[in-house]
Amino acid sequence: MTPTPPQVPTQRPAQPLDAMSQVSPSVESRLADTASAGPACVVAGPRPGEEPDGPAMLRAAVVQYEALLPGAGGVAVEANVAAHVELVELAHSRGARLVLFPELSLTGYELTAFEVPGGARWLSQAIQPSPGSQPSPWLTAGDPRLQPLQDVCARTGTVAVVGAGWREADQTPRLASLVVGPDGSVKPVFKTHLHGPERELFVSGSGPVVVDVDGWRVAFAVCADAAHPAHAGAAAEAGADVYAVSALYTRGEELRLGLHLGARSMDHRMFGLLANLGGETPLGPSCGLSGGWGPDGTALVRVAGTGTEVAMVSLDRSRLAAYRSTAGA
């Protein structure tokens, strides 16, 4: 993957999967329970006869994920990494080259975990656990807890995008999506449009980042970024083919979610992907509806439940080109 600055198929009904509330049984075994009845994922693909090979098609997995051990702070990171590894392996087995997880998927949307007593959020010692203390919820470059994700991406040749609190080398705190590449590299992408208590805990980013995935230019956004048309506009100006959003939308925001992704996709003739954090959160219960949108703004596929589910989406470059050729019509 190379970073740079800044179909209308029939929707198949989702098969809700058990929400994960513990590490065991494994994610794989839970998903495998439905394998005999057909795919354990919602699937959207091209129409018959529109199945090009190679870079003309990008197979993506959108993972609506209910974080393990909510409220446990740094203790939750290792457990969620392990669950993410199993989901990446599952997605890879179904042909995914890109696996998108929600906002703060490695801890859940538990902002209190990132608070530093006394407000000393900039001090390096504030994130260095002392012997016998609890692990930090913050991740940093070279954090060994990320190694299993780096290993699975390198082993499968997959790009995985996970949500985390991130400290830069100078200790700047960020709300980030971590793009784990097929070479095991980790590239943090920072949320641009912080809101509410996030502004007291994190420093905002400067706009979308576009990454090359198998010749497709994928722009990454975090939650409220998708509510600001200029963010997707900057991604389009950078040549993005896909606008991939890691988010938390809660019950009552179903219409807002659909309008955001539909508008961003249609306005800029891009495919849209959204992974919503599932389950109960401090902001309220998730509204679910993770999925994919076409360059005409049509929802290609959305999951039916609000727990952990996977939506598989095949993005067809010929449809992208067709809509872009008539963009002014």
Side-chain angles (χ1 to χ4, degrees):
M1 70 180 182
T2 305
T4 59
Q7 85 198 257
V8 181
T10 302
Q11 180 173 333
R12 296 172 58 178
Q15 297 296 321
L17 306 177
D18 290 344
M20 297 180 295
S21 58
Q22 53 186 7
V23 181
S24 297
S26 69
V27 176
E28 180 67 34
S29 65
R30 285 175 179 260
L31 295 176
D33 289 342
T34 62
S36 59
C41 305
V42 184
V43 180
R47 294 175 293 188
E50 295 183 343
E51 299 180 358
D53 297 323
M57 182 76 73
L58 178 64
R59 185 84 161 152
V62 176
V63 182
Q64 180 171 287
Y65 181 70
E66 183 173 359
L68 302 177
L69 307 180
V75 174
V77 172
E78 188 172 351
N80 283 300
V81 166
H84 281 48
V85 166
E86 293 188 51
L87 285 160
V88 169
E89 289 174 336
L90 174 70
H92 170 69
S93 74
R94 297 173 187 271
R97 302 287 295 147
L98 172 66
V99 185
L100 180 68
F101 287 89
E103 181 178 29
L104 292 177
S105 62
L106 294 185
T107 57
Y109 193 85
E110 304 285 343
L111 298 186
T112 56
F114 298 101
E115 294 176 351
V116 176
R121 64 175 186 169
W122 295 95
L123 301 179
S124 60
Q125 59 265 33
I127 64 166
Q128 301 299 326
S130 58
S133 67
Q134 295 294 321
S136 172
W138 295 99
L139 291 164
T140 59
D143 195 311
R145 293 174 294 178
L146 286 174
Q147 195 61 52
L149 268 172
Q150 295 173 263
D151 291 344
V152 74
C153 288
R155 185 172 68 252
T156 62
T158 305
V159 176
V161 184
V162 306
W166 182 261
R167 287 275 188 171
E168 296 192 82
D170 64 359
Q171 304 306 323
T172 301
R174 305 285 194 174
L175 202 168
S177 286
L178 307 182
V179 183
V180 185
D183 58 355
S185 62
V186 177
K187 178 175 181 57
V189 177
F190 307 135
K191 185 172 185 176
T192 301
H193 296 282
L194 301 172
H195 61 89
E198 294 173 0
R199 298 190 184 101
E200 302 302 317
L201 299 169
F202 307 102
V203 175
S204 62
S206 58
V209 171
V210 179
V211 170
D212 185 285
V213 180
D214 290 354
W216 286 71
R217 293 177 62 77
V218 183
F220 297 103
V222 183
C223 202
D225 290 344
H228 295 262
H231 191 273
E237 290 178 5
D241 303 307
V242 182
Y243 191 58
V245 184
S246 299
L248 168 58
Y249 285 80
T250 56
R251 188 176 299 163
E253 296 186 305
E254 292 86 351
L255 178 61
R256 185 169 178 262
L257 183 158
L259 288 174
H260 285 166
L261 268 292
R264 305 302 164 253
S265 300
M266 180 178 66
D267 288 350
H268 303 292
R269 301 307 190 186
M270 302 185 290
F271 283 103
L273 301 174
L274 182 136
N276 197 13
L277 195 66
E280 294 288 335
T281 80
L283 297 184
S286 170
C287 70
L289 300 178
S290 301
W293 284 256
D296 61 347
T298 300
L300 304 176
V301 58
R302 292 194 283 188
V303 303
T306 60
T308 296
E309 302 188 39
V310 180
M312 298 298 302
V313 189
S314 292
L315 309 182
D316 183 345
R317 191 177 293 281
S318 68
R319 292 180 58 77
L320 191 67
Y323 283 111
R324 287 178 171 179
S325 67
T326 60

